Amino acid sequence: MSAPGVRSLDGERLTELIMRLLLDSRLRERLATEGAAAVAADAGELECLETIDLDELDAAARRFRSNIWRLGTGGSLAATFPRSVSLFAATGVGVGVGTGTGTGTGTGEAELLDGFLGSPSFARFRLIPYSGSGVSVEEAFASYLLGLAGTRPDAAILRETVDHELMIALFTALACEQPLSFVIESEGIVETDRGHAALRRYAPAALASWGEAAAGDGAVPYAYFATPAGVTRGVVSERVAAAFAATPTAESDAARRALSRRGLW
């Protein structure tokens, strides 16, 4: 029972406090060493914090981190973004947790997760069902990785790799999960008669790093299609790329008819 004059936290504030405790290791350390009164913002928080078992809180925080990392289309964020994570691990640019980037000997999965959980990108993801709309964990994580790219020597390939792996995840969801349980903020995805499609243009060097060949030196058109039959993706010709023209033309109409006959549009 609350003491006279103490107002217990409502559901929204209690959820916010729990998330802060799970995400902020420094807050948990202060709670353990300085006590509830030192970290509570008001009497309502103090009432809750005084009831917490610190050992259970630490165990819950470890499980929470593990569960977040295991989310993702491929069974984990590392499996969803294998090449992107490998690029970070192979470079000498590390993550300054909660502050952006810093120097280091590379960025491991634990460091990436620390940075992601403490970033504004993570807040865009709605972990708790029915708590409002939000992007998928894949799109939130991709946003975080893109923010880390900065002016690194491999920034261009890294950005295209993150985008490519995100598109695979989003199109897998578009093909398998209807209606979606999240919103998509990535631009360029259009509805078709059979599902969804998108066109990207990638550098030949990026495609080569993914094991996909492309001729020429300029940006290469690459399309993604989600239909009830599954996901189809790959390098396409400029004739196929015309299907994505914002303003209909004879060429774009012909391209869409050709894709429709193949069951892709």
Side-chain angles (χ1 to χ4, degrees):
M1 180 179 294
S2 301
V6 174
R7 182 180 179 183
S8 298
L9 300 183
D10 60 22
E12 182 176 351
R13 289 199 59 212
L14 179 59
T15 299
E16 179 185 350
L17 176 60
I18 291 171
M19 292 300 293
R20 281 166 42 208
L21 289 167
L22 292 174
L23 295 172
D24 193 338
S25 60
R26 296 182 182 88
L27 176 61
R28 295 195 301 275
E29 290 172 5
R30 288 192 60 205
L31 177 62
T33 58
E34 301 175 33
V39 300
D42 52 39
E45 285 194 4
L46 178 61
E47 179 186 27
C48 295
L49 291 170
E50 287 180 332
T51 67
I52 289 178
D53 182 296
L54 296 176
D55 290 335
E56 289 185 4
L57 175 61
D58 284 340
R62 289 194 298 272
R63 289 194 300 270
F64 179 82
R65 284 171 52 84
S66 178
N67 288 339
I68 292 297
W69 193 247
R70 287 201 300 266
L71 295 175
T73 307
S76 75
L77 290 175
T80 305
F81 296 90
R83 295 185 179 90
S84 302
V85 170
S86 293
L87 282 171
F88 277 103
T91 65
V93 179
V95 179
V97 177
T99 61
T101 59
T103 58
T105 58
T107 310
E109 293 182 4
E111 193 177 3
L112 283 176
L113 180 57
D114 282 339
F116 176 47
L117 293 177
S119 72
S121 295
F122 181 72
R124 297 169 57 207
F125 164 54
R126 294 296 182 267
L127 175 65
I128 302 173
Y130 314 115
S131 63
S133 62
V135 301
S136 64
V137 68
E138 294 93 345
E139 190 162 6
F141 189 60
S143 172
Y144 168 68
L145 294 180
L146 291 171
L148 293 181
T151 57
R152 300 159 41 124
D154 63 345
I157 287 181
L158 178 55
R159 290 192 184 97
E160 294 193 353
T161 300
V162 171
D163 181 73
H164 174 58
E165 293 181 329
L166 171 62
M167 293 296 284
I168 293 172
L170 292 178
F171 271 74
T172 298
L174 286 167
C176 303
E177 182 186 342
Q178 292 294 334
L180 294 178
S181 58
F182 53 85
V183 298
I184 293 177
E185 295 183 356
S186 294
E187 297 180 351
I189 298 177
V190 298
E191 289 192 38
T192 67
D193 292 339
R194 288 182 171 85
H196 294 80
L199 181 74
R200 294 288 195 263
R201 291 183 181 273
Y202 297 125
L207 288 163
S209 73
W210 311 334
E212 300 196 33
D217 298 324
V220 178
Y222 193 105
Y224 304 82
F225 302 94
T227 70
V231 177
T232 301
R233 60 182 176 85
V235 173
V236 296
S237 66
E238 291 294 346
R239 291 180 62 184
V240 172
F244 294 87
T247 302
T249 63
E251 291 77 10
S252 68
D253 289 343
R256 292 181 182 184
R257 287 194 299 270
L259 288 170
S260 181
R261 288 193 294 271
R262 295 169 56 189
L264 296 175
W265 197 277

